[in-house]
Amino acid sequence: MEQVFTRDTKVRELVIKVPRSDELFKRHKIDFCCGGNRPLHEAATEKGVDEQQLLAELSDLYKKADEMKSSDSEDWTTKPYGELVDHIIHRHHHYLVNELPDLSFYVTKIFRVHGGSHPELANLHRTFHELKTELEHHLLKEEQNIFPAIREYEAVRGQTERDAALSQIDELESEHDHAGTLLRDIREITSDFTLPPDACTTYRMTYKRLEELESDMFQHVHLENNILFPRLEEEA
């Protein structure tokens, strides 16, 4: 992925282009919302932050995002179960564990600041937090129950272990379906993530990250519903 920013890129553009750069800016006390309409080097100088170090940290975040996208292009249909499970946990579960609390903060923030003129944000706030709660419970169920059962089956290859691995698949797929419904609701509430004319940088970033959450969930559920679970069900 070609790097798309320089020292002259405005802070508000960086927070949109570079995943999780908002956390970096918060750590350095750099305002990326109301004060984000200025070049990176100017914001760094004001806060006494080393410009080259800041650029290096941004580049690292950008590179990591590129590497995560590349990992999605793997052919997982023939990989060992344990390797696929590890990928799902490290690529998708860890993403959700980090992203859901951040998005909760930003969805709440834009609702509080802009909810008076954009009443749909109340519905977005409610729907997102329903999704967040369900996904957090779902991840625990997978990591504590189904994934260990799949690993045990791969190690032993016994029918008892296979039955244990298959026992919760219908329930997990039903939860995937409901999460998909909530994601569709979020897309409808936001009019396909269309920003209003008065959207600030935080508003723009929140919608972008909600859309990225949707994309990640599609890939996550695809790996489980279309690859992992069918392989278990079809294996003799």
Side-chain angles (χ1 to χ4, degrees):
M1 185 190 297
E2 182 182 355
Q3 188 163 300
V4 293
F5 57 87
T6 69
R7 67 189 297 269
D8 295 314
T9 304
K10 291 182 178 179
V11 172
R12 70 179 184 185
E13 294 173 4
L14 283 164
V15 83
I16 302 297
K17 292 178 179 178
V18 182
R20 311 196 74 80
S21 59
D22 60 299
E23 296 177 5
L24 176 62
F25 290 137
K26 282 193 290 185
R27 189 166 73 248
H28 290 300
K29 298 181 173 58
I30 292 174
D31 181 6
F32 57 82
C33 191
C34 299
N37 191 29
R38 54 183 173 166
L40 178 67
H41 68 84
E42 183 180 311
T45 298
E46 179 186 329
K47 292 299 180 180
V49 177
D50 182 86
E51 179 186 323
Q52 294 305 313
Q53 178 62 30
L54 190 57
L55 280 166
E57 291 180 277
L58 286 165
S59 295
D60 187 51
L61 288 173
Y62 198 66
K63 180 181 177 182
K64 286 178 180 177
D66 190 29
E67 290 171 349
M68 289 176 72
K69 288 181 181 179
S70 296
S71 71
D72 287 335
S73 64
E74 288 272 6
D75 179 6
W76 295 103
T77 58
T78 58
K79 299 283 187 181
Y81 288 122
E83 192 173 330
L84 175 52
V85 164
D86 284 342
H87 171 71
I88 290 169
I89 291 173
H90 294 135
R91 169 66 180 89
H92 299 290
H93 284 206
H94 287 182
Y95 164 77
L96 288 171
V97 167
N98 289 313
E99 186 67 2
L100 290 172
D102 277 1
L103 266 174
S104 173
F105 173 82
Y106 289 122
V107 168
T108 301
K109 183 174 181 178
I110 64 171
F111 170 45
R112 286 176 174 168
V113 174
H114 299 279
S117 53
H118 297 285
E120 70 277 4
L121 293 177
N123 199 11
L124 174 62
H125 185 270
R126 178 191 60 77
T127 305
F128 169 78
H129 283 93
E130 181 180 351
L131 175 66
K132 176 179 180 289
T133 298
E134 294 203 5
L135 286 176
E136 288 169 342
H137 291 158
H138 182 82
L139 298 186
L140 286 174
K141 187 182 299 181
E142 288 190 335
E143 293 184 18
Q144 294 178 357
N145 299 319
I146 186 68
F147 287 169
I150 291 172
R151 293 184 196 277
E152 179 68 13
Y153 167 65
E154 184 171 44
V156 177
R157 295 289 176 172
Q159 186 60 43
T160 299
E161 289 75 19
R162 180 171 177 267
D163 290 344
L166 291 170
S167 64
Q168 295 186 65
I169 284 179
D170 287 345
E171 182 179 351
L172 294 177
E173 288 181 337
S174 177
E175 291 175 2
H176 288 164
D177 288 343
H178 191 230
T181 297
L182 293 172
L183 287 168
R184 287 194 295 273
D185 289 346
I186 288 172
R187 180 170 278 276
E188 182 177 345
I189 291 164
T190 61
S191 301
D192 294 326
F193 305 105
T194 301
L195 291 161
D198 61 339
C200 65
T201 302
T202 301
Y203 207 135
R204 292 168 60 209
M205 181 190 65
T206 302
Y207 271 35
K208 181 175 184 289
R209 285 170 70 160
L210 284 169
E211 191 167 14
E212 289 170 350
L213 172 70
E214 178 192 67
S215 296
D216 186 84
M217 279 297 300
F218 286 166
Q219 181 65 21
H220 180 176
V221 172
H222 161 70
L223 289 173
E224 294 183 8
N225 279 16
N226 300 334
I227 297 178
L228 179 60
F229 298 161
R231 281 179 60 187
L232 283 166
E233 291 168 335
E234 294 165 7
E235 190 161 309

